[in-house]
Amino acid sequence: MLPKLAQLFGISVDELVGMEDKPAKRGPVPKLLRQVEQVALLPKAKQKFVSEMLETVIQQASH
């Protein structure tokens, strides 16, 4: 699921999970990024569920 989320946000998996050193951004962390970080902490089955929901919403929005 992490590769799909990283692709969605246009970043690497390392960046997604906070492993890549980058200069700190100014200001608050966007809500969506905080939610992605929380999803990464969920059990795999729940991560898959969230990923499938996101894919469904994105596909519906693109039609």
Side-chain angles (χ1 to χ4, degrees), residues 39-63:
V39 168
L41 299 174
L42 294 173
K44 295 286 184 198
K46 291 191 183 221
Q47 287 180 14
K48 184 177 180 189
F49 174 75
V50 171
S51 177
E52 290 170 355
M53 287 185 59
L54 282 171
E55 287 182 31
T56 299
V57 170
I58 291 167
Q59 286 175 357
Q60 288 176 353
S62 68
H63 290 112

Side-chain angles (χ1 to χ4, degrees), residues 2-55:
L2 290 177
K4 289 180 184 179
L5 288 173
Q7 183 180 16
L8 176 69
F9 293 112
I11 60 175
S12 70
V13 174
D14 286 346
E15 288 176 281
L16 185 64
V17 297
M19 298 295 291
E20 189 170 295
D21 291 334
K22 291 187 83 175
K25 292 183 181 178
R26 300 177 101 178
V29 177
K31 181 178 180 181
L32 187 56
L33 183 55
R34 285 194 314 267
Q35 290 171 328
V36 168
E37 290 169 349
Q38 291 173 332
V39 168
L41 299 174
L42 294 173
K44 295 286 184 198
K46 291 191 183 221
Q47 287 180 14
K48 184 177 180 189
F49 174 75
V50 171
S51 177
E52 290 170 355
M53 287 185 59
L54 282 171
E55 287 182 31

